[in-house]
Structures are given as C-alpha cells and as structure tokens.
Amino acid sequence: MPVHFLTSEQRATYGRYAGDPSADELSRYFHLDDADHVLIGNKRGDHNRLGFALQLTTVRFLGTFLEDPIDVPDAVLQTLVRQLRGITLEKMHGYRNANQRWEHTTEIRLRYGFREWVDPTVGFRLSRWLYALSWTGTEQPGVLFDRATTWLLANKVILPGCTTQERFVSRLRSRVEDRLWKRLVRGITDEQRTRLEDLLTAPSTGRSSWLDKLRSGPIRISGRALVKAILRLQVVRDLGIKLPATAVPPSRLASLARFAGTAKVTAISRLPPVRRLATLVAFIHCLEATAHDDVIEVLDMLLHEFFSNAVKADKKARLRSIKDLDLAATVLATACRTLLDPALADDDLRDSVFARISRERLTQALASVDALVRPPNDVYYGELNERYGAVRVFLPTLLRHIQFGSNRVGEPVVAGLEWLQAREMRVKPEPAAPREVITKPWLRHVLREDASVDPRAYTFCVLDELHKALRRRDVFVSPSWRYADPRVGLLTGPEWETARPIICRTLGLSADPVPALSALSAELDQTYRAVAARLPNNPAVRFETVGDKKELILSPLDKLEEPASLVALRAAVVALLPEVDLPEILLEISARTGFTDAFTHLTDATARAQDMSTSLCAVLLAEACNTGPEPLIRYDVPALRRERLAWVDQNYLRDDTLVAANALLVAAQNRVALAHAWGGGDVASADGMRFVVPVRTVHAGPNPKYFGFGRGVTWYNLLSDQCSGLNAITVPGTLRDSLILLAVVLEQKTELQPTKIMTDTGAYSDVVFGLFRLLGYRFSPRLADVGGTRFWRIDAGADYGDLNSLARHSVSLGRIKANWDDLLRLAGSLKLGRIPATGIMRTLQTGDRPTQLALALAEFGRIEKTLHSLNYIDDENRRRVILRQLNRGEGRHSLARDVFHGKRGELCQRYREGQEDQLSALGLVVNIIVLWNTIYIDAALRRLRQDGFPVRDEDVARLSPFIHERHINLLGRYSFAVPEAVTRGELRPLRNPNEHIP
C-alpha cells in the first residue's frame, strides 16, 4: 500500500482551520467555563489572556497547537473576545514570539490532561482500535486516517505530524492485509495450492486460462447450457477450498474476490505468493455462491420456457382444431335441445335423440369434445410430454449435483426431487413416490388407473412445483447470493430478546400490540369520519351504482396550465445558462465536490496516477453514454490513452466506489439552496426504466410490451424530491415492482433519509403497505383505479355515511396480535440489514399457501392502505404532489435516455455485474448533470433578481434541473479541458440572453 495516500484537501486541513467553525462547534469547543476564566484571569496582560484562550480552544478543536497561535478565523476571535470582556487586540502580534506562548502550551498540556503521540499507551490503544476497525471493514486509508484523527481528538492526544500519522496508518493496514492473507491460506494443502496455481495457466488446447474459463458464466438458456453451468459449479467444489474456522469478514472476501474476478491473469500472477494464493482462495470461495446463482438462474428461465412454450403449443393446436370442436359442439347442442324439448315424453327421449342424430355420430362428437376441451386448470401435459427428451438433457446432472433445501412449505418438492434422484440412481428396492407434491391439476396425469405413478408425468409435476417454489424461495440452495434462504438472518432467540427494546424504540412501536393497534384504530376511525364529513364539498368524488353495488368514482386531475410568469422565468433562465460540453460538466463538478476521490484502486497497491480525475471522468462518460472509450481516446493526452482508460475501468469502477461517489453528489445537491425549493429530502419516488439487451445473456428477461421479440432489463430508481438519484437496482426483465421496492429504499446509502415513498400503481400490495408502515415509512402510491380499491374498517358498527358502502371488509386484529412479535422481529431484521429485502418479499407475497406471518402483515397493511386511499381521495394537493414527484422521475429517465445514446440505447453487457456498473455510471453522470444545472440555475436566479426580473417562489419550485437540450452538448468527440477560472472554483460566466441561441 502506498505510504502517501492523502488527498491535497486532507493535507491542507489536517490540524488547521478549514474555515469558520459552525455555531454548534463554537458553542462546544470555544466556550470558556468558570475554571477556564479563573486560569486565564491569572495571566498578565490582555495579549497573554487572549493568547492563552486561543491556544486552549484551538487544541480542543483541532487537537494541536498552531505555529501562529493567532492565525484563527475571525469568528473564533470574536467569540473569545466577547467572553473575555475588556480585552483589546492591540498587542496580540507580539504574542507570536513571546516566551509565554511556549509556557502556555506546557501548562495547557499539564492542567487539561493532553498527552503526546509518543506516549506508549496512546500507540497501543489506537493500534488496537484502528486494527479492529480495519479488519472488519474495507475502509480506504484516507478514511482510516480521518478515523484515527477523530480518535486522537476524543482521547485528548496532541496530533502528530501529518506524514507521521500517514505512515502509522499505512503500517497498520499492511499488518491487517498480511494477517488476512495468512488467515486465508491457512489449512490449504500442497495439492490444493498446486490446483489453485494451475488456474492461472492455459490448457494445451486453448489460449484462455482456467481462471478465465471459471470467470465466464452461462450466456444461453438451454439444457446443455445448464449442464455446463452445473459442471462449472462442480469444478469449483472439487477444488475443496474451505475457509478456516476463524471468521474472515465477508467484505474482505468480496474485495479480494472482485479483484480476482476482474483483473488480468498476468496481474494476478505477479502478486507475491501469499497474496496471490489468498486472492485465489477468496475468489473460489465467493465463486461457488455465484456459480450456484447462475445454475438456478438458467434453471428458472429454462423451466419458464418449457411451461410457457407448452401453453403456446396448446393454443396453436386448439386454433387448428377449432373447426372440429365447433362441429362436435353443434352435434351435442342439437342433442341437448332435443332433451330439453318439453313436448317430448320422457320415455321417448332416447329414440327422439337417435332419430335426429345417429348413435355413431353422437359418440364421435363426444369423443371429439373430450379430446379438444381443456379443463380450467390444465397443465398442458400432452405438449410437455413431447419435450421430455429435452428435459433428459439436464435432469440427471441437476439431480446428481444440486442439493436443494426448503422450508416447511417446500418440503414436498424436495421429497419429490429426492425420489427422482433415487430412481435415476437405480436404487433397489425403489421407494414409493411422495404424493404430497402432486397438486390437483396434475393428479389425473400422474396417477394411473391402478393408482401407480407415471414417472414422466411425476417428473413434470415436480419440476412445475420446483419452478414455483424457487420463485417464492420455499426451495433454496446454499451457498448463494440470490437464491439462499432469506430467513436465515432473522433475529432469533436470545439475540432477539436483547434487540427487541432497541428495535421497538427505533420503530416507534411497543412490544405489546394493544397500544399500537389502538392508536392505529383511532387514526383510521378519525380519518373515515373526517373524509366522510368533507365528501359533500369534494367535487372530485362521486358515487355511481353499478348493478347492486355502489362504486366510488374519482375524477382525474385537471391539467394545470403554466402561468405566463413561469414560462417567462424558464426562458430567461435557459437563456442565461452557459453552453457547455458534457465532459466539462464532469470535470467541473469533480473540482467542486471531489467525487472522483471516492474512486479508489481495487487493491490500494498503487498510488493514484497524474490527472486521475480526467481519466475517471472519461471512463464514466464512456459507460454512461454507451459509446465505449473510442470517442474519448487521445494519444497526445496521457490521461486519455487507451491503456490508461482500460486500467482505470478495471481497477476503479465498481459498486462500492460508485455508491460512495453518488453519496457525495447527493450531499452536494442538498447543500444548494435551490434544491430545497423543490423538496426537503424527505420524499422520494421509485420507478423503472427499461433497456433492451441484444446480446446472449441469462441476465435479461422477455416482455413484448417493452422489448418486442428480444429481452431486456429494468433499471429501478429511487429519486429524491431534490431531483437527485439515491439508489438503483438492475433486475432481469420486468420483475414486479413490489418485490424490489423495499430493497431500493432500505439499501440506499446517502445522507438523505426519505420517509414518504411514492410510486406508480404497479408497486403496491397489502404486504408492501404493511412493511413500510412497520419500518417507519409512509407508502404513497398513485391510485389509478380507486373505484376498484377495497376499503377496510376495524369497527364493524361505526357509521361512516356514504363511505359505508365502500368499507364492507373488516380487518382481523386478532391475527395481527397473534403475530405481533414476529412482525417486529421481521422489521428489526430488515432495519439491521440481517435479511435481504428482495428475498423476503418473495416469501411474503400471499399466494395460494401464504404463511401466518404473511397473512398478519397483509392485515396490518390493509389498515395503512385504507388510510392512504381515504387521504388520497380527500386531498387534491396530495394527489398533485404524488403526480409531480412521479413526473420528476419521468424527466430523469428522459435525460438518462438522451445520455445513454450509443448503440441505439441498448445495453450490451452479458453479465449482471457489468450491467449494474454501467447503469450505476449512467445514474452518476445524470446526477452530475442535475447538480451542475442546479448550481447554474441558482446563479441565474440570483442574476435575474439583481436585474429586477420578477421571480416568484411558486415558479422557482416548478423549474426542472433535467433541462439540457439547448445548452449541454451530449454528442460528438469530447475534449477534456475546462477554463482556468473554473478550475479555481469560480462559476462560468452566464450567457448574454440577447445573443443568438442556436
């Protein structure tokens, strides 16, 4: 690790004032108590008294004494002068060189207990604390340096020199790395060592190394591709790499594994032996879970194709046979009319029917109907049976190598798989096939007339149930990142007993369900009565009788015409915005926020290269614009050479650095005054953006509505009301929004913590409403069809006027009370990040066999859903706020589409990690554009106010930072150069609105 790793900003602010302290800091560190006043009062002369006070408060705040003790901000000086009444500043310049200055520092050390860096106890305690912090996390050296500084301040230790502390952190990090590598290779045999080293070599028949082959996951969806994926998993298992019993932090493993998964084989080969072996061990350990995921991903899509193709084949067959079915139905209809003819006597019915239709014709028609008619719950076994050969391609390998686990609901599926495996292995005597897995639709196909089991039909029955159980996570595999048991991390036993009080305080709920449910019942009752009282004066709501039911009709919102003042303000602002190329925006925001400092080298093995910000911005632009690096390469600029961009892309762009950089941008947006005119950061909306993926991959899904005949992914975004993107998740196809909404909210890592979450109609369900309320969020979706929404009540006898016809359903409080502790345990586990939100949502979606916890959560959610529905129909402003926030999401997507213009806007990444990193880079660049626009719109508004232009606050709130068509160039070859004044932190000059705008 490099010894010199601090940024220029960190060096400049270490042990120095970086600006005026805040009001809170002034009151905390620069307040003089009675003991301070007594000590200061004993000094002779105003300059000694004020100088002593300056040195005392400075060492409290900075942790060190300044070379020039009076070189402090004016705010500090004025704060102390106000407290030391009667002090004058006339002779303060003489204090710099006075002997009393050095005597004062010694006295302050002794009287206030400040210790020196060389104190042995200081080094020991700091090393132990920092070592534990470094071992359990993946913080970069610069972060550890800041943590060490904070510890020294808290423990009243005089700060050492910057380079001294820098070398200390560097040595400690090296010790941690050495320990990690040695821990990972402990227990590795010579045979395993040889096999791991062989991964870096190429087989005699090819050019790619074995490591490259293992890193390449499946890209096709077929039986043979599934077999290859399983064999790849088995190769990983055969290496027999098991981590030692002593725990190694997962974050450490993931960091090493990522390096092995992305670095060139030659780079890994050049590592020192211990580090190289440890890197390969971590990679293989993590690869088993990844390979498991790939296997299940291919299996899931393959089974989906099997069963969906069977449905399509049946539809085609029925279309071809529709004439035969019509003819047979006509014959049977004629027979039925004869039977229903009241003029015929019962004794003559049979003769009358056969007189009109012969027995042979009637028998033939009945046989045709039996052959062509499908039951409502048909499983299309005939079409599936024709594909049995395709199943045999992968089934034996799947049964032999994949071990499935299950919860109680999935046990019949696993038992069925075990029977198939025993039959495949020719176990004698053959055990009886478990019949609990046979559902009613499959019963007539699986059981023969003699009550024996048809093996083929049983195989398809088990695979059908396996497909459903995998998606519900009733059946899972281990180890796995995406298909593991989502309940494993739930707080249980003594751990839950200890955490319960803390969780309850955090969530604002009590361990006893009665107070919480009583308050919720009262809130629901009061809301019903308030809304019912205002209904006569609510012109947007009316009731219509449809059949025997009374339905609520909510009129759509009328379009608000833009006032002339807003149109004029928008035009005036746009006319002032500087014309700029996209690369310049990235470089300017980098200079203002330092977001490129968040991109650190994967291994910390090399110091940052010169002009790294330029290289990072170029790589981000290549990813976000989907053009690749070609338009950005300049061989006359070292920072833009092809090899430099490839090195930066490989070593600096990854999930954790992109998340850290985005957090800096969100914080910068939050500091701009204009952003607070749009929102306070407590509101966010979530919506998905679709991308076609034209390459072969298993990490994309079909949806004709969005992807035509191809496949694609959904980029699901969380957008704050300040127009900054907070988080995003990439999912194959078009997964139900309700499955990923909670994950995108809980996993966002910015300083904004929105509590009100708005979505479109497709994201809500009773379970989502319940979970969001438990976790302290208010879920506020747009309701497209309020008339079809169920309204729930708790008090069955309450009179809510016109709303009585809607509130026909009652919530079961008893079910909620019975499962209250489990609901709190679930919410606490999610809040602490112990369980994956996406996985647990799959298990909670109420299907044909919901758990009691899922049913209780749905009951709880119905109360919250009813509260939202009532407030939604009652408050037009609420509906407009939701619509406005959702429109902001559409504006962000429109900007992202224009930025992502290369390759026809199609995402050409084969693997999930590549998709996530590229779309994260897109989100980062969009946030950079939004921040740049916000800064310059704010500057333009100041100019307009100075010029006397009428700027109304309500018009400012409706301005958008997503504008870009007339002043930002997104296309062409790019030049990475900015004016010198901008690099110094100044703003670009605003345009002259009277100039011609192309």
Side-chain angles (χ1 to χ4, degrees):
M1 192 193 74
V3 174
H4 302 291
F5 53 78
L6 293 181
T7 65
S8 56
E9 182 181 359
Q10 284 178 302
R11 292 184 185 278
T13 58
Y14 179 74
R16 296 182 179 89
Y17 286 98
D20 288 344
S22 65
D24 180 63
E25 290 171 338
L26 287 172
S27 61
R28 181 182 303 179
Y29 297 101
F30 298 90
H31 172 71
L32 302 175
D33 59 22
D34 293 341
D36 297 335
H37 278 288
V38 170
L39 193 59
I40 294 170
N42 294 329
K43 310 304 175 193
R44 289 184 177 181
D46 289 352
H47 63 288
N48 283 327
R49 285 192 285 272
L50 182 56
F52 187 92
L54 282 172
Q55 296 216 75
L56 172 62
T57 53
T58 294
V59 77
R60 285 175 176 172
F61 181 61
L62 297 179
T64 188
F65 298 101
L66 296 176
E67 293 182 8
D68 183 353
I70 65 173
D71 185 18
V72 299
D74 288 340
V76 172
L77 200 59
Q78 296 303 324
T79 299
L80 294 178
V81 168
R82 282 196 301 270
Q83 297 179 75
L84 301 173
R85 298 170 184 171
I87 292 288
T88 61
L89 306 178
E90 296 177 358
K91 299 182 180 180
M92 279 306 299
H93 63 277
Y95 184 75
R96 289 190 178 97
N97 302 315
N99 291 331
Q100 288 86 349
R101 167 195 170 183
W102 307 108
E103 294 174 0
H104 289 170
T105 61
T106 303
E107 186 177 358
I108 290 171
R109 285 188 176 94
L110 293 175
R111 287 187 175 272
Y112 290 91
F114 284 95
R115 293 177 292 168
E116 295 291 341
W117 169 261
V118 294
D119 188 335
T121 60
V122 171
F124 174 76
R125 291 178 57 197
L126 177 59
S127 295
R128 188 171 59 177
W129 178 78
L130 207 59
Y131 192 98
L133 191 68
S134 182
W135 174 255
T136 56
T138 56
E139 284 87 354
Q140 300 301 322
V143 176
L144 290 177
F145 184 93
D146 292 338
R147 295 284 187 93
T149 303
T150 303
W151 186 92
L152 293 171
L153 288 171
N155 288 274
K156 301 178 74 171
V157 179
I158 303 297
L159 295 183
C162 183
T163 55
T164 300
Q165 186 170 321
E166 197 173 16
R167 286 194 299 268
F168 176 83
V169 172
S170 180
R171 287 195 301 269
L172 186 134
R173 275 292 300 266
S174 297
R175 285 173 51 202
V176 172
E177 297 291 348
D178 289 339
R179 180 192 176 199
L180 173 67
W181 301 333
K182 292 175 181 177
R183 183 69 58 87
L184 286 175
V185 301
R186 182 188 301 172
I188 299 297
T189 64
D190 291 339
E191 180 184 356
Q192 290 173 332
R193 183 189 301 268
T194 302
R195 298 177 71 178
L196 287 172
E197 295 285 359
D198 288 343
L199 293 178
L200 303 177
T201 63
S204 57
T205 57
R207 299 177 60 185
S208 299
S209 67
W210 292 110
L211 181 63
D212 288 327
K213 294 180 182 295
L214 287 180
R215 292 191 294 196
S216 301
I219 59 174
R220 296 174 180 267
I221 303 170
S222 66
R224 295 186 184 280
L226 178 56
V227 171
K228 288 182 179 179
I230 295 173
L231 294 179
R232 170 179 175 240
L233 171 63
Q234 194 57 38
V235 168
V236 176
R237 288 174 174 170
D238 290 342
L239 291 171
I241 302 300
K242 301 296 180 184
L243 292 183
T246 304
V248 175
S251 56
R252 289 286 185 185
L253 282 173
S255 179
L256 281 174
R258 183 179 179 94
F259 173 70
T262 57
K264 293 182 179 179
V265 173
T266 53
I268 301 174
S269 301
R270 289 195 297 266
L271 295 175
V274 175
R275 181 178 178 183
R276 180 173 65 244
L277 188 60
T279 301
L280 292 173
V281 168
F283 171 71
I284 294 300
H285 175 77
C286 295
L287 181 61
E288 184 176 0
T290 302
H292 238 142
D293 286 344
D294 289 341
V295 168
I296 303 303
E297 198 87 47
V298 177
L299 175 64
D300 177 75
M301 293 185 179
L302 188 59
L303 292 178
H304 176 77
E305 281 193 0
F306 268 117
F307 294 107
S308 62
N309 288 343
V311 176
K312 295 176 184 177
D314 178 75
K315 288 181 178 180
K316 289 182 179 179
R318 286 173 64 80
L319 287 174
R320 289 193 297 266
S321 61
I322 193 69
K323 291 183 178 179
D324 297 334
L325 181 61
D326 289 345
L327 182 60
T330 302
V331 172
L332 294 180
T334 303
C336 288
R337 290 191 190 96
T338 304
L339 293 172
L340 296 174
D341 189 351
L344 297 175
D346 292 346
D347 296 339
D348 299 333
L349 283 178
R350 181 183 293 269
D351 294 336
S352 300
V353 169
F354 290 148
R356 296 184 182 183
I357 306 171
S358 66
R359 179 186 292 271
E360 292 77 10
R361 188 179 177 193
L362 191 60
T363 302
Q364 183 180 3
L366 186 60
S368 297
V369 169
D370 288 339
L372 299 176
V373 170
R374 300 286 186 266
N377 55 358
D378 189 27
V379 293
Y380 312 102
Y381 175 62
E383 289 73 19
L384 288 170
N385 193 32
E386 294 180 2
R387 299 292 311 279
Y388 184 70
V391 172
R392 294 298 304 170
V393 170
F394 67 86
L395 186 61
T397 307
L398 177 72
L399 296 173
R400 188 181 311 116
H401 294 291
I402 303 300
Q403 183 67 39
F404 292 97
S406 71
N407 57 18
R408 184 181 56 81
V409 177
E411 287 176 356
V413 180
V414 174
L417 289 169
E418 291 174 349
W419 182 83
L420 291 176
Q421 184 181 18
R423 190 171 184 276
E424 199 69 41
M425 299 174 63
R426 304 287 196 271
V427 174
K428 299 297 182 182
E430 184 176 296
R435 302 197 176 189
E436 293 81 1
V437 72
I438 306 174
T439 57
K440 187 175 180 180
W442 279 101
L443 201 60
R444 65 191 186 95
H445 301 293
V446 175
L447 294 185
R448 297 170 175 150
E449 293 182 359
D450 60 355
S452 63
V453 170
D454 182 335
R456 285 196 176 189
Y458 189 84
T459 298
F460 282 110
C461 173
V462 172
L463 291 178
D464 188 17
E465 292 303 304
L466 174 64
H467 185 225
K468 298 173 184 175
L470 282 172
R471 295 201 163 187
R472 292 195 304 261
R473 299 301 189 268
D474 291 333
V475 171
F476 41 81
V477 293
S478 181
S480 170
W481 303 116
R482 298 191 298 274
Y483 291 92
D485 183 5
R487 308 160 192 80
V488 169
L490 278 170
L491 295 166
T492 56
E495 187 181 15
W496 168 234
E497 296 297 330
T498 304
R500 184 191 286 115
I502 301 173
I503 295 298
C504 289
R505 283 198 299 271
T506 303
L507 300 177
L509 299 170
S510 62
D512 182 5
V514 175
L517 294 180
S518 297
L520 205 56
S521 300
E523 181 184 355
L524 182 62
D525 182 72
Q526 293 169 8
T527 304
Y528 260 121
R529 297 184 186 281
V531 173
R534 288 191 289 266
L535 271 181
N537 300 319
N538 189 343
V541 176
R542 69 181 189 276
F543 292 90
E544 292 184 0
T545 302
V546 180
D548 58 344
K549 293 183 180 180
K550 196 174 183 181
E551 291 191 358
L552 179 145
I553 306 297
L554 182 66
S555 301
L557 292 170
D558 295 329
K559 181 180 179 181
L560 292 180
E561 296 297 334
E562 294 185 342
S565 60
L566 173 60
V567 175
L569 178 63
R570 185 182 295 123
V573 167
V574 172
L576 287 172
L577 295 181
E579 294 178 341
V580 64
D581 291 336
L582 183 54
E584 298 179 53
I585 291 180
L586 270 65
L587 290 175
E588 182 174 345
I589 295 300
S590 173
R592 290 186 177 280
T593 65
F595 78 89
T596 51
D597 293 336
F599 292 93
T600 55
H601 193 277
L602 191 59
T603 63
D604 288 331
T606 309
R608 295 172 72 89
Q610 189 177 5
D611 294 332
M612 179 57 73
S613 294
T614 300
S615 302
L616 281 166
C617 291
V619 170
L620 287 172
L621 205 60
E623 295 289 306
C625 294
N626 203 30
T627 60
E630 293 300 329
L632 310 168
I633 293 173
R634 290 278 302 275
Y635 285 102
D636 57 332
V637 180
L640 296 177
R641 290 177 178 173
R642 182 187 299 275
E643 57 272 16
R644 165 71 81 86
L645 298 184
W647 176 73
V648 170
D649 188 17
Q650 185 180 79
N651 292 284
Y652 287 84
L653 241 66
R654 56 188 187 276
D655 178 67
D656 58 317
T657 57
L658 288 163
V659 169
N662 190 64
L664 293 176
L665 294 174
V666 172
Q669 179 83 356
N670 190 34
R671 291 193 295 268
V672 181
L674 176 59
H676 288 269
W678 299 326
D682 59 338
V683 174
S685 59
D687 196 10
M689 182 176 174
R690 324 292 178 180
F691 291 91
V692 174
V693 180
V695 297
R696 292 185 186 273
T697 176
V698 300
H699 302 295
N703 189 316
K705 178 181 178 181
Y706 297 105
F707 313 128
F709 294 103
R711 305 167 70 85
V713 299
T714 298
W715 187 43
Y716 200 69
N717 287 274
L718 185 68
L719 177 70
S720 77
D721 55 358
Q722 295 181 349
C723 300
S724 53
L726 305 181
N727 192 22
I729 293 179
T730 304
V731 295
T734 52
L735 195 66
R736 280 186 61 188
D737 292 353
S738 59
L739 294 176
I740 52 178
L741 173 61
L742 188 62
V744 81
V745 172
L746 289 179
E747 295 171 7
Q748 73 97 8
K749 300 177 181 178
T750 70
E751 67 179 34
L752 298 184
Q753 297 297 323
T755 56
K756 185 177 291 186
I757 310 300
M758 300 173 178
T759 70
D760 215 336
T761 308
Y764 78 83
S765 67
D766 295 344
V767 169
V768 173
F769 270 106
L771 262 182
F772 269 74
R773 182 63 185 253
L774 274 176
L775 291 166
Y777 299 103
R778 299 310 296 262
F779 184 45
S780 305
R782 181 173 68 89
L783 303 178
D785 182 17
V786 181
T789 302
R790 284 188 174 185
F791 288 74
W792 298 78
R793 63 165 67 209
I794 294 176
D795 185 355
D799 182 14
Y800 300 134
D802 290 336
L803 296 177
N804 285 332
S805 59
L806 302 178
R808 298 189 298 268
H809 307 278
S810 296
V811 174
S812 174
L813 291 183
R815 176 171 283 160
I816 301 175
K817 292 177 182 177
N819 293 275
W820 183 251
D821 193 64
D822 286 337
L823 290 174
L824 293 177
R825 190 159 61 94
L826 171 64
S829 301
L830 283 167
K831 201 76 172 178
L832 296 175
R834 295 287 300 272
I835 55 177
T838 303
I840 206 68
M841 284 302 300
R842 288 180 177 274
T843 68
L844 293 173
Q845 294 300 308
T846 53
D848 52 348
R849 290 178 291 185
T851 63
Q852 287 299 313
L853 178 62
L855 291 173
L857 189 58
E859 292 289 339
F860 188 77
R862 286 162 185 159
I863 303 174
E864 176 66 13
K865 182 178 73 172
T866 303
L867 285 170
H868 171 67
S869 301
L870 289 170
N871 289 318
Y872 188 83
I873 66 174
D874 184 55
D875 189 352
E876 178 181 340
N877 183 60
R878 176 186 289 255
R879 299 197 297 274
R880 290 200 180 277
V881 167
I882 294 174
L883 181 61
R884 187 183 309 123
Q885 181 62 23
L886 294 179
N887 286 340
R888 284 173 178 161
E890 294 298 329
R892 185 172 193 265
H893 287 170
S894 177
L895 172 58
R897 283 283 180 209
D898 288 347
V899 173
F900 199 79
H901 62 270
K903 301 172 187 174
R904 298 183 298 178
E906 297 176 338
L907 184 64
C908 299
Q909 298 283 351
R910 293 185 185 276
Y911 299 109
R912 181 185 293 267
E913 292 79 6
Q915 295 172 357
E916 292 173 345
D917 288 351
Q918 182 168 3
L919 293 180
S920 293
L922 172 62
L924 198 69
V925 170
V926 170
N927 270 0
I928 290 170
I929 296 173
V930 167
L931 176 57
W932 190 92
N933 271 338
T934 304
I935 292 172
Y936 278 91
I937 292 174
D938 193 42
L941 291 173
R942 290 197 300 270
R943 167 73 67 81
L944 291 173
R945 290 188 179 101
Q946 292 171 3
D947 295 345
F949 191 95
V951 178
R952 302 168 58 195
D953 291 343
E954 54 269 30
D955 292 337
V956 172
R958 296 180 66 178
L959 294 177
S960 171
F962 302 120
I963 55 175
H964 60 281
E965 294 86 354
R966 300 182 63 184
H967 67 289
I968 300 178
N969 174 33
L970 301 176
L971 306 175
R973 295 190 67 88
Y974 306 101
S975 171
F976 283 82
V978 292
E980 184 178 349
V982 173
T983 62
R984 294 196 302 264
E986 300 177 16
L987 287 179
R988 298 168 184 270
L990 298 177
R991 273 191 300 177
N992 184 346
N994 298 320
E995 292 180 355
H996 173 68
I997 300 176

